[in-house]
Amino acid sequence: MADPRETPAMQQYYRFKRQHPGCLLLFRMGDFYETFDEDAVTISRALGLTLTQRTEGLPMAGAPYHQLENYLRRLVQQGYRVAVADQLQDPKEAKGIVDRGVTRVVTPGTLVDDSLLDGDASNTLAAVAFIESGDDSHAGLAFVEASTGEFVVADCRADQLADELARRAVGEIIYASNADGAMPPRVARVVKMLGVAATGRPSWQFRVDEARELLKTHFGVTTLAGFGLGEEDPAIPAAGAALAYLKETQAGEVDDPAARREAAGREVLGFIGPMGAGVSAAEIGAKVASAAAGSTSRGRGEEQRLKSRRLALAHLRPPRREEASGRFVIDAVSLRSLEIERTIRGGGPRAASRDAAGDGTLVGLFLGVGAACCRTPMGRRLLREWLCQPLGTVEGILSRQKAVATFVEDRLLAEKMRASLDGVQDVARIAGRIALGRATPRDLCALGKSISAVSQLLDLTMGVAALAPQRKLVEEARGAIEPVAQRIISRCCDEPPAHMREGGLFRDGIDAELDEARLLQTDAGSWLAEYQQTLVNRYDLPGLKVGFNKIFGYFIELPAAQARRAPEELSRKQTLKNAERYTTPELRDFENKVTTAQSRAIERERVMFEDLCGEALGIVGQIASFGRAVAELDALQGMADRAVRRGWVRPEIVEEPVLRIHGGRHPVLEELLGSGFVPNDVELGTAAGHGPSEAGGSPASLALITGPNMAGKSTFIRQVALITLLAHAGSYVPADRATVGLVDRIFTRIGADDALHSGQSTFMVEMTETANILNHVTPRSLVILDEIGRGTSTLDGLSLAWAIAEFLGGAAENGPRALFATHYHELTGLEERMPGRVKNLHVAVREWPSATDPGHNEIIFLHRILPGRTDQSYGIHVARLAGLPKGVVERSREVLSSLAVHQGAGIGKSATPGERAAASIPALATRVAPRDGQLALFTEYINHPAIAQLREIKIESLSPMQAFDELRRIKLMTEQA
Ligand code: ADP
């Protein structure tokens, strides 16, 4: 039997497979998308489809064509890349094999279809190209949002790559594969850390010459200098590779340098058609042109629609360089540990926000379903970006703050703005779909309605100084978009169909050809009656009738008696017993029109739809500006909305490295606990001209916060970080009053995050993160440390914590502002040793004698941060509250009190080596005598057999000599130990 893989269709299939390595290939055959071989096995598993065999030995699994979007979504969610091969020709017209081509490649980072995207989150493709110069290793970066055409380039030190990528909602990373096709280890590290999809690309696509040429050709320029990219700019390879990937995935165009060079001189933007990979631009252009030429003469279905996609990627904006200066950096670790976009225990940016407090993240607080601060997806995406990438200059922050303040102060304006924004849909992504030939009738109508809000936005922003930049954007776009909006609205009906397959988008009375086609469908009878009457009158043949039958179609009939008088214009069609049947060119025309009326109406509508899309395509730049203005206005009013709801205040932003927060709250916890949340103050850093601080004594830059577990230390230090971050994003902050000195970076070290560091020990993670902080901290940074030194032995931990606190508090003349929460109360001694640099804060606890547990105290955590130190850890109380069995709690109290007694003996000559080491830490000199419930740090090491022996001795039964012998024996024991 012939090899089933040798058939022409399968040859076509394998060609596409070769052109799209690493992709699952969905191959359209009739009403199904089929997959074969390993793909069939994979897909049947991933989607639960039945695995069959096309012919013996060729596994096959297929999905009905109308389920495509659904299956694509599920496959992409599972991390697959999928190439879709469509039929580019009506199979009935095909001579031999049906013309097929890969029309799109769906990958996690290049999604554009609404059904595959989350409206509230960006989905960015990141291209990474490493550049070595000497010992220095840099990464050139390009970020492209396929759905909106946003294109940003940047570069960073190779070791900061993860941080750069983490704050940008990256859905997929592309990189240059090694010669053996493997992922370079430094890419692998980042991919593992961030858990994003990654795709290797041919390394030549990252060559600077190739990349530069591709960019120039696509944007129709002779130099990239206008985009701020020098000839050898490190970002060029990444930008070029990103563009090549987009072309391949969105337009099915496999980048082929030879074809590109050939096309370069001829076409600026290029007709990038959806043809099969490997087809040159010239061929594509010819195919599209011929398809367009044939558009009116014959019906065009889905195949033609695919062919007519034009100017693909026209929405892609020229690359914009992102300046590193003027930015506030949050690294990947802090982004996670402060729970900006996702909670530490899971729930990604896409996790649905559940209630008013959102999903427990800062972003969720603004964008959660219950919060609904923003009215448009564009506003939501921008607000997310603002929170993940705050500003780094006083001017930048103040100007945003001013705009937010406008909406806070003028609630009427805010309400009107919200009402106007409610009418605006995701025009940024709709414009993208239009440019990629993937817009639906509903998209077009939504676009028309949305951009018609332009005049309302202009009215609302008139004379509002703080909103002038947004107004300018709208104003510039107005001239171009208003007429298009007008045309869309006046031509399209109010309830557009989901697709163009059956027409129904355009109103009656706007196009004669469409009206006629529609009229013919509904009104063929009256036309015929009218025509019959005309003929009767014209030829004076009262017996003449116009009729129709299924076999012969339309005819004019004369009784046999009148047939003799039939005029010459009537041509004979059929002779019956008693009658003759005729036709005329007019009637043939009519027949033609009626029988094709429906398809002509649909076709006409399709052409009109394409024309309107074409008009919209002509103004994508203006739509993008309008979209940008809407996003900004929405994000600004969203921030104001949040501020008003919880009484947040406008922070004062200053250059000096200070931080003064009064009545500060944790934004997310406050939302959950309401008035039950206890506000707290903090004051750090000295500002020139400022006297003694109000809270916490000296305005030192390092605060050590001690207090029992569960008292609220973490909450407090996180809230300080979040308030600082919000202030830098231009937002109001949850406090009664706040002055925030400019911060260049927030560093955090809060709890181990396994997701980020799988495979490393908790302590190693802790130390790696701390090393990063100490190596990169500047006097402008804010450092948040929670429980440093926990992951190792108590002594090691204390020693490390001590040295780290000392480093931050005093190594430099201007130490960073730092908050250090610790259960090592020994550290509180630093306040005396480093006066003016370090200060102690503690969390207040209220104690009273227990009624149910005689001899012990009940405690309440007041969550109030006060100056001074604590020497209690209340671990056993917390354990009791947590529900440890009563017996275990009792026993731990016994152990504790016995240990406490030993500790009371202090550290003498007989101290263990551990104790002797610890004693050399100056802090111990300041140790406070323990009270009930406090396990002093080193007592746990006094567990010597000599002590057990001592405990056994019954003094009253010993003679003095025996006592002396015992003493000698025990002393010997201590020396041998
Ligand atoms: P610690 O870091 O001291 O162990 P946490 O900061 O984790 O304690 O706080 C423990 C719990 O106490 C929090 O989950 C929260 O419910 C509550 N809490 C903390 N701070 C406050 C506060 N200021 N007001 C009200 N409740 C608080």
Side-chain angles (χ1 to χ4, degrees):
M1 195 173 67
D3 187 340
R5 289 173 177 81
E6 291 295 326
T7 64
M10 288 312 291
Q11 290 296 310
Q12 208 179 28
Y13 174 86
Y14 290 121
R15 179 158 57 86
F16 299 151
K17 269 304 277 183
R18 278 194 302 277
Q19 283 159 349
H20 297 279
C23 288
L24 296 173
L25 178 67
L26 298 182
F27 190 72
R28 179 79 182 254
M29 295 181 108
D31 284 346
F32 278 79
Y33 282 100
E34 301 288 5
T35 55
F36 302 99
D37 289 330
E38 279 168 20
D39 280 9
V41 178
T42 309
I43 280 195
S44 69
R45 238 185 253 135
L47 302 176
L49 297 173
T50 317
L51 187 64
T52 58
Q53 295 206 343
R54 182 166 157 85
T55 31
E56 186 76 41
L58 180 59
M60 175 170 103
Y65 79 98
H66 53 84
Q67 287 286 335
L68 178 66
E69 295 302 322
N70 173 19
Y71 286 133
L72 283 177
R73 193 183 67 249
R74 288 166 57 193
L75 288 171
V76 170
Q77 271 168 359
Q78 293 178 48
Y80 292 109
R81 297 187 304 127
V82 190
V84 182
D86 276 298
Q87 293 171 171
L88 300 176
Q89 172 183 43
D90 187 335
K92 282 186 230 111
E93 292 175 13
K95 296 186 188 72
I97 186 165
V98 181
D99 187 14
R100 289 190 183 84
V102 171
T103 50
R104 59 174 162 157
V105 181
V106 183
T107 81
T110 58
L111 304 175
V112 293
D113 297 276
D114 229 11
S115 56
L116 304 179
L117 279 167
D118 174 355
D120 292 354
S122 302
N123 184 47
T124 306
L125 170 75
V128 178
F130 291 101
I131 291 124
E132 319 293 342
S133 60
D135 294 342
D136 209 22
S137 176
H138 264 72
L141 297 166
F143 300 96
V144 188
E145 179 93 36
S147 63
T148 62
E150 186 76 26
F151 194 170
V152 172
V153 292
D155 49 277
C156 69
R157 281 205 328 258
D159 62 349
Q160 291 171 341
L161 182 59
D163 299 336
E164 278 297 318
L165 298 173
R167 60 197 173 81
R168 288 180 203 261
V170 170
E172 182 180 3
I173 297 173
I174 58 169
Y175 60 89
S177 297
N178 284 344
D180 58 359
M183 188 188 289
R186 51 189 169 183
V187 175
R189 257 196 310 278
V190 171
V191 165
K192 190 170 174 197
M193 187 168 168
L194 302 181
V196 289
T199 305
R201 305 285 297 152
S203 58
W204 63 261
Q205 290 193 349
F206 288 80
R207 277 203 295 265
V208 69
D209 293 338
E210 300 287 348
R212 198 191 304 109
E213 282 315 304
L214 183 67
L215 288 163
K216 282 194 209 166
T217 309
H218 182 80
F219 290 106
V221 293
T222 50
T223 161
L224 300 177
F227 306 149
L229 293 171
E231 280 292 288
E232 300 294 327
D233 194 289
I236 288 179
L243 176 58
Y245 192 55
L246 274 196
K247 284 181 167 234
E248 182 177 321
T249 54
Q250 302 309 304
E253 185 192 345
V254 171
D255 188 31
D256 167 359
R260 180 148 42 79
R261 272 191 291 276
E262 177 198 328
R266 206 172 30 76
E267 179 82 71
V268 171
L269 279 162
F271 260 56
I272 299 155
M275 304 308 136
V279 179
S280 76
E283 283 174 75
I284 292 166
K287 283 203 179 197
V288 174
S290 75
S295 68
T296 47
S297 60
R298 64 186 151 85
R300 300 195 307 175
E302 175 73 2
E303 301 80 26
Q304 297 293 341
R305 190 184 67 75
L306 290 167
K307 274 189 178 180
S308 65
R309 191 179 297 158
R310 67 220 134 152
L311 297 178
L313 302 186
H315 70 311
L316 189 65
R317 266 163 279 154
R320 175 170 60 81
R321 171 170 286 290
E322 191 179 85
E323 292 307 331
S325 65
R327 255 190 17 219
F328 170 112
V329 182
I330 318 179
D331 52 41
V333 171
S334 305
L335 206 59
R336 269 195 80 114
S337 55
L338 291 175
E339 305 190 304
I340 309 295
E341 272 203 295
R342 63 182 88 197
T343 55
I344 290 181
R345 283 184 216 300
R350 270 158 245 287
S353 311
R354 285 175 280 276
D355 47 35
D359 51 5
T361 66
L362 187 67
V363 167
L365 186 67
F366 286 86
L367 306 185
V369 174
C373 294
C374 293
R375 316 305 295 179
T376 70
M378 293 174 290
R380 285 192 279 273
R381 292 198 295 272
L382 186 63
L383 185 48
R384 180 189 291 273
E385 194 184 308
W386 283 357
L387 293 174
C388 294
Q389 304 182 45
L391 299 162
T393 64
V394 173
E395 313 81 73
I397 298 169
L398 290 185
S399 112
R400 193 178 293 164
Q401 234 187 32
K402 243 198 281 176
V404 176
T406 305
F407 286 119
V408 171
E409 285 153 20
D410 189 344
R411 292 313 289 156
L412 188 63
L413 173 69
E415 277 317 308
K416 287 184 184 162
M417 183 59 75
R418 285 164 77 81
S420 291
L421 293 172
D422 276 340
V424 181
Q425 297 193 40
D426 201 342
V427 295
R429 284 187 172 166
I430 293 177
R433 287 198 290 278
I434 286 179
L436 293 168
R438 219 170 278 146
T440 66
R442 289 187 182 155
D443 280 338
L444 187 69
C445 291
L447 178 72
K449 287 201 188 104
S450 301
I451 58 182
S452 67
V454 70
S455 53
Q456 281 174 36
L457 294 184
L458 282 175
D459 287 350
L460 288 175
T461 50
M462 185 147 64
V464 185
L467 303 179
Q470 291 77 27
R471 183 182 163 78
K472 188 159 172 267
L473 279 176
V474 180
E475 210 159 25
E476 283 167 2
R478 178 190 207 162
I481 65 182
E482 252 180 358
V484 178
Q486 200 43 46
R487 228 176 344 269
I488 295 173
I489 292 172
S490 63
R491 310 192 113 214
C492 299
C493 64
D494 295 327
E495 284 177 14
H499 48 73
M500 288 305 290
R501 285 202 285 275
E502 277 136 39
L505 169 63
F506 290 95
R507 297 178 195 278
D508 288 332
I510 46 153
D511 181 77
E513 197 181 326
L514 177 63
D515 285 349
E516 191 194 77
R518 281 182 177 164
L519 196 69
L520 281 171
Q521 288 173 65
T522 55
D523 217 14
S526 57
W527 188 90
L528 289 175
E530 216 172 278
Y531 185 56
Q532 178 174 307
Q533 198 51 50
T534 313
L535 294 185
V536 168
N537 294 347
R538 190 186 297 162
Y539 302 120
D540 190 21
L541 291 167
L544 183 147
K545 289 210 166 45
V546 179
F548 169 80
N549 83 23
K550 271 199 180 138
I551 299 161
F552 292 102
Y554 288 93
F555 54 81
I556 298 161
E557 190 177 291
L558 279 178
Q562 292 179 23
R564 277 176 293 109
R565 290 173 50 205
E568 245 172 48
E569 294 85 57
L570 302 189
S571 44
R572 192 184 307 264
K573 200 170 171 179
Q574 190 188 10
T575 304
L576 301 178
K577 211 182 340 154
N578 302 322
E580 287 290 331
R581 283 181 177 174
Y582 307 87
T583 186
T584 61
E586 244 173 330
L587 190 61
R588 264 198 299 270
D589 233 26
F590 175 76
E591 175 165 12
N592 208 12
K593 276 183 182 170
V594 173
T595 50
T596 59
Q598 192 182 13
S599 54
R600 278 197 316 115
I602 292 171
E603 174 57 17
R604 178 68 195 147
E605 283 210 57
R606 208 198 48 72
V607 170
M608 290 165 68
F609 175 65
E610 294 280 315
D611 287 348
L612 267 189
C613 285
E615 282 187 43
L617 191 62
I619 58 162
V620 276
Q622 287 88 342
I623 296 174
S625 300
F626 172 79
R628 176 77 202 175
V630 164
E632 287 185 14
L633 290 169
D634 195 18
L636 291 167
Q637 74 75 28
M639 277 189 167
D641 186 66
R642 183 78 264 172
V644 168
R645 276 198 239 180
R646 282 264 164 227
W648 291 8
V649 298
R650 180 175 178 175
E652 183 190 2
I653 307 289
V654 296
E655 294 277 1
E656 292 85 26
V658 295
L659 195 57
R660 285 194 292 275
I661 298 169
H662 296 268
R665 283 104 60 193
H666 187 292
V668 178
L669 261 187
E670 170 187 42
E671 199 60 34
L672 284 172
L673 301 180
S675 57
F677 189 87
V678 181
N680 276 306
D681 304 340
V682 72
E683 198 145 315
L684 289 180
T686 342
H690 282 277
S693 68
E694 291 170 45
S698 75
S701 59
L702 171 66
L704 284 167
I705 302 113
T706 42
N709 275 326
M710 288 298 289
K713 301 185 299 296
S714 304
T715 305
F716 174 67
I717 59 176
R718 282 163 194 255
Q719 100 189 14
V720 172
L722 290 174
I723 288 173
T724 306
L725 185 148
L726 281 168
H728 283 75
S731 166
Y732 278 36
V733 297
D736 296 339
R737 213 153 15 108
T739 302
V740 178
L742 209 60
V743 166
D744 61 355
R745 224 182 138 151
I746 287 187
F747 287 101
T748 55
R749 169 46 235 159
I750 305 176
D753 184 348
D754 295 340
L756 284 186
H757 300 274
S758 43
Q760 289 184 47
S761 82
T762 312
F763 182 61
M764 188 63 190
V765 171
E766 184 180 326
M767 286 301 115
T768 313
E769 290 180 9
T770 311
N772 176 47
I773 298 177
L774 301 189
N775 289 329
H776 296 114
V777 70
T778 78
R780 277 222 166 277
S781 308
L782 175 67
V783 183
I784 304 290
L785 301 173
D786 199 4
E787 301 288 14
I788 289 289
R790 252 200 169 166
T792 181
S793 78
T794 311
L795 269 183
D796 281 359
L798 171 63
S799 312
L800 282 165
W802 181 277
I804 290 164
E806 232 175 30
F807 180 93
L808 291 173
E813 186 51 33
N814 288 316
R817 283 154 285 176
L819 291 156
F820 194 152
T822 180
H823 69 295
Y824 293 132
H825 52 88
E826 282 78 4
L827 291 191
T828 55
L830 277 171
E831 185 182 57
E832 282 151 40
R833 298 179 57 82
M834 302 172 79
R837 302 260 185 88
V838 178
K839 70 172 160 196
N840 290 325
L841 302 176
H842 74 283
V843 201
V845 171
R846 197 154 73 84
E847 268 184 272
W848 70 94
S850 170
T852 56
D853 196 6
H856 298 292
N857 283 350
E858 295 287 350
I859 54 162
I860 276 197
F861 298 138
L862 299 176
H863 305 306
R864 184 102 188 96
I865 306 286
L866 296 173
R869 64 178 150 216
T870 183
D871 48 18
Q872 302 260 12
S873 62
Y874 298 95
I876 295 178
H877 288 91
V878 175
R880 189 163 70 90
L881 293 178
L884 229 59
K886 211 163 174 224
V888 175
V889 172
E890 277 309 318
R891 177 66 188 139
S892 66
R893 275 186 183 135
E894 277 169 36
V895 174
L896 175 64
S897 58
S898 96
L899 291 173
V901 170
H902 300 311
Q903 194 275 344
I907 298 162
K909 262 205 224 152
S910 65
T912 62
E915 282 181 330
R916 281 195 294 273
S920 66
I921 294 182
L924 294 182
T926 65
R927 196 174 48 190
V928 220
R931 288 197 284 134
D932 167 52
Q934 168 61 34
L935 175 58
L937 184 61
F938 301 108
T939 51
E940 61 198 83
Y941 287 87
I942 308 177
N943 188 20
H944 197 278
I947 292 171
Q949 291 279 326
L950 265 175
R951 210 179 266 136
E952 298 299 311
I953 291 176
K954 298 196 170 46
I955 295 176
E956 60 284 7
S957 64
L958 291 182
S959 72
M961 267 319 278
Q962 282 170 321
F964 180 74
D965 280 345
E966 273 304 308
L967 186 60
R968 197 171 44 194
R969 196 169 59 84
I970 290 170
K971 178 145 193 311
L972 214 65
M973 277 176 83
T974 63
E975 282 164 2
Q976 283 163 355

